[in-house]
Amino acid sequence: MDLGQVSEYCYNLTNSYLEIKNQTQVIADTQDAIRLTKRYFLQDIFPRWSPLSCEISFSYNGGKDCQVLLLLYLGCIWEFFLNSVQDSQYDRQYHQYPLRSLPTVFIDQEETFATMEDFVASTSERYCLSLYESVRDEGKKLSMPEAFDQYLKLHSDTKAIVIGIRYTDPYAADLKTIQPTDDDWPDFLRLQPLLHWKLSNIWSFLLFSNEPICGIYGMGFTSIGSIKNTLPNPHLNVDRKDKPSLLFQWEIAHAFGKTDDQDPEVNVSQVNHKDLALLNNSNEKYLPGWYLTDDSLERAGRVKRC
Ligand code: FAD
Ligand code: MG
Ligand code: MG
């Protein structure tokens, strides 16, 4: 698929989710969350910075939140394109989708899981991302602000960057949908249209999407940081008496584009053998990440730094 086809696919996926009727409360809440995110993109953001130019870039690290936001963003770009074509005096067939790849930025900041690196590479291809990866400065990794400073020097048309951050993330409670960066950061606008999303909304939409999900989540991880500070979420340990139950049977069974004879399993990416060796070190077993829906426990698998 080229970028136009991927965008149209994501538009149809989003509409299909919005058309679900009379199922769970989580689905109804997620539909509201999607409508608000769409409104931010189509009414507040795109009239100021065109997603069909290089004014907007997307920050992507392969995590579940930015993947959800990417699917919605691509769908909204298709809607924006359709609207602009409708206003034109020429027929739709004379309009070509103007972008071949989506400006995207990944900061290679921490020592990440090999599965996550594989996933960023495979989804970059799948979603036609033009992925900038920050370079290491003589072997030393740059801080996030330094890395974005370099990015902006190379992509000077960039005015704003989309971020998949949520209110429940650390230090995120007071963020705004559109806001400038802080003083100690390079100067651009932060676009944060996913702030109001809860963990349950993320899993509901992602599982329904039938898109590949990073394999690390299938191993009991709920929030992925560096290899050195991320463990499976202890609340998903199968030996716990109070382990959570699955809230998303409907989404998995009726996932987008799934045929009746298709495997009812969740579409997870393959776990890299380097990570398998790392994870199989312990005898503990964990439920997949999407069993956890309590936002306050999302980062319980992060090792506290002393
Ligand atoms: P995560 O869920 O891991 O990340 C939240 C989102 O941040 C992701 O969905 C993704 O869109 C983006 N992101 C995270 N890691 C990466 C990465 N390695 N490469 C690319 N994108 C990534 N903090 C400030 O204090 N002041 C600022 O002005 C500020 N500006 C920022 C501008 C941008 C474009 C970004 C990406 C971050 C900025 N931050 C800023 C940091 C931000 O608030 C989060 O702390 C940071 O994104 C890490 O998030 P997390 O690990 O807590 O959550
Ligand atoms: Mg996140
Ligand atoms: Mg992170």
Side-chain angles (χ1 to χ4, degrees), residues 61 110 224-225 299 302:
N61 66 351
E110 315 172 287
I224 309 174
R299 290 178 191 245
R302 294 294 186 95

Side-chain angles (χ1 to χ4, degrees), residues 203 214-224 230-237 279 285-292 297-298 300-301:
W203 288 131
C214 179
I216 289 289
Y217 291 118
M219 313 285 288
F221 288 76
T222 53
S223 164
I224 309 174
T230 317
L231 296 171
N233 194 310
H235 295 273
L236 294 177
N237 192 311
L279 298 168
K285 292 269 172 295
Y286 295 88
L287 294 169
W290 48 90
Y291 276 69
L292 190 99
L297 302 178
E298 183 175 349

Side-chain angles (χ1 to χ4, degrees), residues 19-37:
E19 281 158 14
I20 302 169
K21 287 199 176 62
N22 304 327
Q23 294 305 327
T24 61
Q25 187 58 44
V26 172
I27 293 179
D29 293 345
T30 308
Q31 289 171 330
D32 287 342
I34 292 176
R35 286 189 201 98
L36 189 55
T37 299

Side-chain angles (χ1 to χ4, degrees), residues 65-110:
D65 306 299
C66 54
Q67 188 182 5
V68 162
L69 190 56
L70 181 62
L71 298 172
L72 296 172
Y73 181 55
L74 287 167
C76 285
I77 300 181
W78 183 257
E79 194 163 333
F80 178 76
F81 170 66
L82 283 186
N83 292 342
S84 66
V85 170
Q86 256 159 23
D87 294 341
S88 157
Q89 54 179 316
Y90 302 107
D91 255 19
R92 158 97 171 78
Q93 57 182 321
Y94 299 113
H95 290 271
Q96 249 199 344
Y97 195 76
L99 273 186
R100 295 179 66 87
S101 58
L102 195 76
T104 323
V105 43
F106 169 60
I107 308 303
D108 185 8
Q109 199 198 15
E110 315 172 287

